């Protein structure tokens, strides 16, 4: 059942550049001592699935189905950020500006929100939807939270289909417009594909062809989760 995928073709040759860790994040990592990590991992070791794919590939839709069929808690990084963005604060405004530009919010903000959400849940299995979006995100999560994902799902969808879906989403999102979508697709290719390649090389990636109906795609996902014993 477990398909081990080889390397996907590297999208860019400059992934090293993307690995640079900003000084502010280095400091957070320095203080991510074992005591802090133990917050999450001391009493339990939750089963963690990262759910990746470009904008409109169907991550949120499939996560909702997986959550209800297999008892996972669904944490959408984008939803957590949008909630924080609605606060009338400096941080809220920073997040809004970054999302509007289709860029990636600093890792320490996103990892903190995910950590809080995991800690306030009693679930033993989590879907982390739309994260990590860059190698820097991935390294921050693994350093600060202190665990690696058990499984990484990648919804592989042609750009044309993703654009069509996002433009039809109709949820009033500030980033669901053609200008921002173009930027998000570039960011996905430049920063997210290296993360996908990383987990592929580690044998943790499960790639799903995300074309077809929601039911057809869920059938493939159901097959995978049905074979797991988390
Ligand atoms: N397989 C599918 N076929 C057609 N439309 C879909 C499919 N899966 C999701 N959608 C629709 O496409 C839009 C984007 O889906 P969503 O799950 O929000 O994607 P993502 O979280 O990856 O951005 C939504 O309006 C959703 O209803
Ligand atoms: O870990 C994350 C998740 C999301 N975002 C930002 O939030 C936006 C929307 O993310 P979401 O996952 O909701 O979009 P989707 O891919 O589902 O359309 C992204 O384009 C980014 O600007 C981010 O910076 N870090
Ligand atoms: Mg989504």
């Amino acid at each position: 059942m477990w398909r081990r995928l080889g390397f996907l073709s590297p999208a860019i040759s400059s992934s090293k550049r993307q690995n640079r860790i900003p000084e502010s994040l280095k400091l957070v990592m320095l203080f991510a001592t074992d005591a802090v990590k133990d917050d999450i991992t001391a009493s339990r070791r939750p089963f963690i699935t990262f759910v990746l794919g470009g904008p409109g590939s169907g991550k949120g839709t499939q996560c909702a189905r997986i959550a209800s069929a297999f008892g996972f808690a669904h944490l959408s990084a984008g939803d957590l950020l949008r909630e924080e963005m609605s606060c009338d604060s400096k941080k809220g405004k920073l997040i809004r500006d970054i999302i509007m530009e289709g860029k990636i919010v600093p890792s320490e903000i996103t990892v903190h929100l995910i950590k809080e959400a995991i800690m306030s849940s009693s679930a033993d299995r989590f879907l982390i939807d739309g994260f990590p979006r860059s190698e820097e995100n991935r390294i921050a999560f693994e350093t600060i939270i202190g665990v690696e994902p058990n499984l990484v799902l990648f919804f592989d969808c042609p750009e044309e289909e993703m654009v069509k879906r996002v433009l039809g989403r109709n949820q009033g999102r500030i980033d669901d417009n053609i200008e921002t979508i173009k930027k998000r697709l570039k960011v996905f290719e430049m920063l997210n594909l290296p993360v996908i390649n990383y987990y592929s090389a580690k044998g943790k990636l499960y790639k799903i062809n995300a074309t077809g109906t929601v039911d057809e795609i869920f059938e493939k996902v159901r097959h995978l989760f049905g074979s797991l014993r988390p």
Side-chain angles (χ1 to χ4, degrees):
M1 182 64 238
W2 290 89
R3 245 192 287 163
R4 294 197 164 220
L5 299 170
F7 274 105
L8 301 172
S9 53
I12 48 163
S13 56
S14 58
S15 60
K16 269 194 189 137
R17 185 165 46 86
Q18 315 302 344
N19 272 334
R20 250 189 252 141
I21 309 287
E23 290 307 313
S24 58
L25 181 56
K26 278 189 194 154
L27 258 185
V28 174
M29 287 170 162
L30 191 68
F31 288 103
T33 60
D34 284 344
V36 176
K37 290 177 195 168
D38 280 354
D39 286 349
I40 286 175
T41 57
S43 55
R44 58 186 180 147
R45 215 163 245 287
F47 186 96
I48 291 181
T49 300
F50 286 158
V51 182
L52 303 179
S57 58
K59 301 180 295 295
T61 304
Q62 294 297 327
C63 280
R65 300 281 294 263
I66 302 165
S68 74
F70 295 99
F72 277 74
H74 174 195
L75 303 182
S76 157
D79 285 351
L80 291 169
L81 289 168
R82 279 184 286 276
E83 205 176 302
E84 192 72 17
M85 169 180 106
S86 62
C87 301
D88 189 21
S89 62
K90 220 171 134 191
K91 202 205 287 178
K93 194 179 169 326
L94 173 79
I95 296 171
R96 169 177 287 272
D97 291 346
I98 293 172
I99 288 184
M100 188 98 90
E101 278 302 303
K103 293 185 178 156
I104 296 175
V105 172
S107 297
E108 54 268 45
I109 295 181
T110 316
V111 174
H112 173 76
L113 291 171
I114 293 171
K115 184 179 168 192
E116 296 273 298
I118 293 177
M119 284 174 61
S120 61
S121 165
S122 58
D124 63 355
R125 59 197 80 174
F126 292 89
L127 296 168
I128 302 187
D129 165 5
F131 178 94
R133 269 180 141 89
S134 64
E135 279 287 273
E136 191 212 295
N137 271 178
R138 175 185 70 73
I139 293 163
F141 181 92
E142 290 177 0
T143 312
I144 295 167
I145 310 270
V147 289
E148 285 195 20
N150 302 80
L151 172 70
V152 181
L153 278 192
F154 167 38
F155 288 108
D156 189 21
C157 194
E159 282 199 1
E160 219 182 83
E161 176 67 17
M162 293 196 279
V163 172
K164 201 172 87 188
R165 290 185 192 171
V166 172
L167 289 177
R169 182 153 49 190
N170 243 340
Q171 289 175 354
R173 275 174 51 171
I174 56 169
D175 54 346
D176 281 356
N177 58 76
I178 191 65
E179 264 65 45
T180 312
I181 294 168
K182 282 186 197 154
K183 292 177 187 164
R184 287 159 68 195
L185 287 169
K186 279 208 186 99
V187 167
F188 171 71
E189 194 176 295
M190 292 241 314
L191 302 184
N192 213 172
L193 279 184
V195 177
I196 288 162
N197 289 338
Y198 173 86
Y199 286 121
S200 173
K202 289 202 104 185
K204 290 190 172 186
L205 192 81
Y206 192 87
K207 177 161 95 162
I208 286 170
N209 179 338
T211 54
T213 66
V214 171
D215 284 347
E216 282 165 354
I217 297 160
F218 185 63
E219 207 38 47
K220 294 180 243 178
V221 172
R222 206 177 54 77
H223 196 53
L224 167 67
F225 280 90
S227 72
L228 295 176
R229 295 282 169 269

mmCIF file of all heavy atoms in Angstrom, residues 126-147:
data_model
loop_
_atom_site.group_PDB
_atom_site.id
_atom_site.type_symbol
_atom_site.label_atom_id
_atom_site.label_comp_id
_atom_site.label_asym_id
_atom_site.label_seq_id
_atom_site.Cartn_x
_atom_site.Cartn_y
_atom_site.Cartn_z
ATOM 1 N N PHE A 126 -3.582 14.283 13.898
ATOM 2 C CA PHE A 126 -3.809 15.625 13.336
ATOM 3 C C PHE A 126 -3.501 15.660 11.844
ATOM 4 O O PHE A 126 -2.530 15.050 11.390
ATOM 5 C CB PHE A 126 -2.881 16.642 14.016
ATOM 6 C CG PHE A 126 -3.212 16.894 15.455
ATOM 7 C CD1 PHE A 126 -2.647 16.110 16.461
ATOM 8 C CD2 PHE A 126 -4.097 17.902 15.817
ATOM 9 C CE1 PHE A 126 -2.959 16.326 17.799
ATOM 10 C CE2 PHE A 126 -4.420 18.125 17.149
ATOM 11 C CZ PHE A 126 -3.852 17.332 18.144
ATOM 12 N N LEU A 127 -4.349 16.423 11.129
ATOM 13 C CA LEU A 127 -4.037 16.781 9.747
ATOM 14 C C LEU A 127 -3.594 18.227 9.800
ATOM 15 O O LEU A 127 -4.358 19.089 10.258
ATOM 16 C CB LEU A 127 -5.293 16.716 8.880
ATOM 17 C CG LEU A 127 -5.971 15.369 8.702
ATOM 18 C CD1 LEU A 127 -7.341 15.562 8.066
ATOM 19 C CD2 LEU A 127 -5.096 14.439 7.859
ATOM 20 N N ILE A 128 -2.388 18.500 9.374
ATOM 21 C CA ILE A 128 -1.929 19.890 9.330
ATOM 22 C C ILE A 128 -1.960 20.300 7.862
ATOM 23 O O ILE A 128 -1.150 19.857 7.043
ATOM 24 C CB ILE A 128 -0.565 20.052 10.014
ATOM 25 C CG1 ILE A 128 -0.727 19.549 11.465
ATOM 26 C CG2 ILE A 128 -0.124 21.509 9.971
ATOM 27 C CD1 ILE A 128 0.441 19.758 12.363
ATOM 28 N N ASP A 129 -2.962 21.117 7.554
ATOM 29 C CA ASP A 129 -3.340 21.442 6.178
ATOM 30 C C ASP A 129 -2.642 22.732 5.717
ATOM 31 O O ASP A 129 -2.802 23.785 6.333
ATOM 32 C CB ASP A 129 -4.887 21.572 6.187
ATOM 33 C CG ASP A 129 -5.493 22.250 4.972
ATOM 34 O OD1 ASP A 129 -4.771 22.576 4.023
ATOM 35 O OD2 ASP A 129 -6.721 22.463 4.999
ATOM 36 N N GLY A 130 -1.851 22.615 4.646
ATOM 37 C CA GLY A 130 -1.209 23.803 4.058
ATOM 38 C C GLY A 130 0.056 24.239 4.767
ATOM 39 O O GLY A 130 0.456 25.399 4.648
ATOM 40 N N PHE A 131 0.705 23.345 5.459
ATOM 41 C CA PHE A 131 1.937 23.631 6.187
ATOM 42 C C PHE A 131 2.747 22.341 6.236
ATOM 43 O O PHE A 131 2.150 21.268 6.414
ATOM 44 C CB PHE A 131 1.626 24.097 7.618
ATOM 45 C CG PHE A 131 2.867 24.373 8.438
ATOM 46 C CD1 PHE A 131 3.395 25.648 8.519
ATOM 47 C CD2 PHE A 131 3.516 23.335 9.109
ATOM 48 C CE1 PHE A 131 4.554 25.885 9.256
ATOM 49 C CE2 PHE A 131 4.676 23.562 9.836
ATOM 50 C CZ PHE A 131 5.183 24.833 9.911
ATOM 51 N N PRO A 132 4.089 22.379 6.144
ATOM 52 C CA PRO A 132 4.977 23.525 5.952
ATOM 53 C C PRO A 132 5.060 23.944 4.487
ATOM 54 O O PRO A 132 5.090 23.123 3.598
ATOM 55 C CB PRO A 132 6.334 22.992 6.432
ATOM 56 C CG PRO A 132 6.278 21.514 6.244
ATOM 57 C CD PRO A 132 4.832 21.110 6.354
ATOM 58 N N ARG A 133 5.140 25.256 4.306
ATOM 59 C CA ARG A 133 5.130 25.817 2.946
ATOM 60 C C ARG A 133 6.517 26.124 2.435
ATOM 61 O O ARG A 133 6.679 26.553 1.294
ATOM 62 C CB ARG A 133 4.279 27.083 2.939
ATOM 63 C CG ARG A 133 2.831 26.741 2.593
ATOM 64 C CD ARG A 133 2.013 27.987 2.592
ATOM 65 N NE ARG A 133 1.035 28.015 1.543
ATOM 66 C CZ ARG A 133 -0.203 27.534 1.648
ATOM 67 N NH1 ARG A 133 -0.603 26.925 2.729
ATOM 68 N NH2 ARG A 133 -1.053 27.655 0.653
ATOM 69 N N SER A 134 7.519 25.952 3.266
ATOM 70 C CA SER A 134 8.900 26.215 2.843
ATOM 71 C C SER A 134 9.818 25.344 3.692
ATOM 72 O O SER A 134 9.398 24.834 4.743
ATOM 73 C CB SER A 134 9.254 27.688 3.077
ATOM 74 O OG SER A 134 9.215 27.962 4.469
ATOM 75 N N GLU A 135 11.055 25.217 3.252
ATOM 76 C CA GLU A 135 12.021 24.457 4.051
ATOM 77 C C GLU A 135 12.203 25.122 5.408
ATOM 78 O O GLU A 135 12.363 24.446 6.420
ATOM 79 C CB GLU A 135 13.350 24.375 3.288
ATOM 80 C CG GLU A 135 13.363 23.290 2.228
ATOM 81 C CD GLU A 135 13.443 21.898 2.845
ATOM 82 O OE1 GLU A 135 14.550 21.422 3.108
ATOM 83 O OE2 GLU A 135 12.374 21.299 3.081
ATOM 84 N N GLU A 136 12.163 26.452 5.420
ATOM 85 C CA GLU A 136 12.316 27.162 6.695
ATOM 86 C C GLU A 136 11.163 26.815 7.646
ATOM 87 O O GLU A 136 11.362 26.561 8.828
ATOM 88 C CB GLU A 136 12.383 28.661 6.425
ATOM 89 C CG GLU A 136 12.804 29.461 7.626
ATOM 90 C CD GLU A 136 12.148 30.811 7.626
ATOM 91 O OE1 GLU A 136 12.448 31.598 6.716
ATOM 92 O OE2 GLU A 136 11.328 31.060 8.528
ATOM 93 N N ASN A 137 9.924 26.757 7.115
ATOM 94 C CA ASN A 137 8.758 26.330 7.901
ATOM 95 C C ASN A 137 8.983 24.926 8.474
ATOM 96 O O ASN A 137 8.704 24.648 9.636
ATOM 97 C CB ASN A 137 7.513 26.206 7.012
ATOM 98 C CG ASN A 137 6.697 27.469 6.871
ATOM 99 O OD1 ASN A 137 5.700 27.465 6.154
ATOM 100 N ND2 ASN A 137 7.063 28.542 7.530
ATOM 101 N N ARG A 138 9.452 24.038 7.617
ATOM 102 C CA ARG A 138 9.629 22.636 8.023
ATOM 103 C C ARG A 138 10.647 22.517 9.157
ATOM 104 O O ARG A 138 10.397 21.858 10.168
ATOM 105 C CB ARG A 138 10.107 21.805 6.812
ATOM 106 C CG ARG A 138 10.435 20.360 7.160
ATOM 107 C CD ARG A 138 11.024 19.602 5.984
ATOM 108 N NE ARG A 138 12.370 20.012 5.604
ATOM 109 C CZ ARG A 138 13.476 19.751 6.292
ATOM 110 N NH1 ARG A 138 13.418 19.071 7.434
ATOM 111 N NH2 ARG A 138 14.649 20.158 5.861
ATOM 112 N N ILE A 139 11.784 23.225 8.978
ATOM 113 C CA ILE A 139 12.846 23.140 9.985
ATOM 114 C C ILE A 139 12.354 23.757 11.302
ATOM 115 O O ILE A 139 12.601 23.219 12.387
ATOM 116 C CB ILE A 139 14.135 23.831 9.464
ATOM 117 C CG1 ILE A 139 14.689 23.024 8.274
ATOM 118 C CG2 ILE A 139 15.181 23.948 10.565
ATOM 119 C CD1 ILE A 139 15.700 23.776 7.409
ATOM 120 N N ALA A 140 11.604 24.855 11.197
ATOM 121 C CA ALA A 140 11.081 25.503 12.415
ATOM 122 C C ALA A 140 10.133 24.561 13.156
ATOM 123 O O ALA A 140 10.192 24.427 14.380
ATOM 124 C CB ALA A 140 10.363 26.796 12.049
ATOM 125 N N PHE A 141 9.254 23.897 12.436
ATOM 126 C CA PHE A 141 8.302 22.970 13.074
ATOM 127 C C PHE A 141 9.067 21.842 13.772
ATOM 128 O O PHE A 141 8.820 21.527 14.940
ATOM 129 C CB PHE A 141 7.354 22.378 12.019
ATOM 130 C CG PHE A 141 6.326 21.438 12.590
ATOM 131 C CD1 PHE A 141 5.076 21.910 12.980
ATOM 132 C CD2 PHE A 141 6.598 20.084 12.743
ATOM 133 C CE1 PHE A 141 4.115 21.039 13.517
ATOM 134 C CE2 PHE A 141 5.648 19.219 13.269
ATOM 135 C CZ PHE A 141 4.402 19.698 13.658
ATOM 136 N N GLU A 142 9.987 21.245 13.030
ATOM 137 C CA GLU A 142 10.683 20.086 13.593
ATOM 138 C C GLU A 142 11.542 20.488 14.790
ATOM 139 O O GLU A 142 11.703 19.717 15.731
ATOM 140 C CB GLU A 142 11.505 19.375 12.507
ATOM 141 C CG GLU A 142 10.578 18.680 11.502
ATOM 142 C CD GLU A 142 11.278 18.001 10.329
ATOM 143 O OE1 GLU A 142 12.522 18.044 10.257
ATOM 144 O OE2 GLU A 142 10.559 17.428 9.472
ATOM 145 N N THR A 143 12.063 21.717 14.782
ATOM 146 C CA THR A 143 12.899 22.159 15.899
ATOM 147 C C THR A 143 12.049 22.583 17.096
ATOM 148 O O THR A 143 12.327 22.189 18.224
ATOM 149 C CB THR A 143 13.773 23.368 15.458
ATOM 150 O OG1 THR A 143 14.380 23.065 14.220
ATOM 151 C CG2 THR A 143 14.835 23.677 16.493
ATOM 152 N N ILE A 144 11.023 23.362 16.832
ATOM 153 C CA ILE A 144 10.242 23.927 17.939
ATOM 154 C C ILE A 144 9.279 22.897 18.520
ATOM 155 O O ILE A 144 9.171 22.738 19.734
ATOM 156 C CB ILE A 144 9.500 25.213 17.486
ATOM 157 C CG1 ILE A 144 10.520 26.294 17.130
ATOM 158 C CG2 ILE A 144 8.552 25.709 18.579
ATOM 159 C CD1 ILE A 144 9.961 27.494 16.378
ATOM 160 N N ILE A 145 8.580 22.172 17.666
ATOM 161 C CA ILE A 145 7.610 21.180 18.162
ATOM 162 C C ILE A 145 8.349 19.895 18.541
ATOM 163 O O ILE A 145 7.923 19.157 19.423
ATOM 164 C CB ILE A 145 6.521 20.867 17.101
ATOM 165 C CG1 ILE A 145 5.922 22.161 16.547
ATOM 166 C CG2 ILE A 145 5.454 19.919 17.646
ATOM 167 C CD1 ILE A 145 4.742 22.744 17.225
ATOM 168 N N GLY A 146 9.451 19.627 17.854
ATOM 169 C CA GLY A 146 10.275 18.480 18.245
ATOM 170 C C GLY A 146 9.812 17.143 17.692
ATOM 171 O O GLY A 146 10.252 16.105 18.177
ATOM 172 N N VAL A 147 8.910 17.152 16.706
ATOM 173 C CA VAL A 147 8.506 15.891 16.075
ATOM 174 C C VAL A 147 8.493 16.059 14.556
ATOM 175 O O VAL A 147 8.394 17.171 14.047
ATOM 176 C CB VAL A 147 7.093 15.423 16.524
ATOM 177 C CG1 VAL A 147 7.085 14.952 17.949
ATOM 178 C CG2 VAL A 147 6.039 16.501 16.299
#
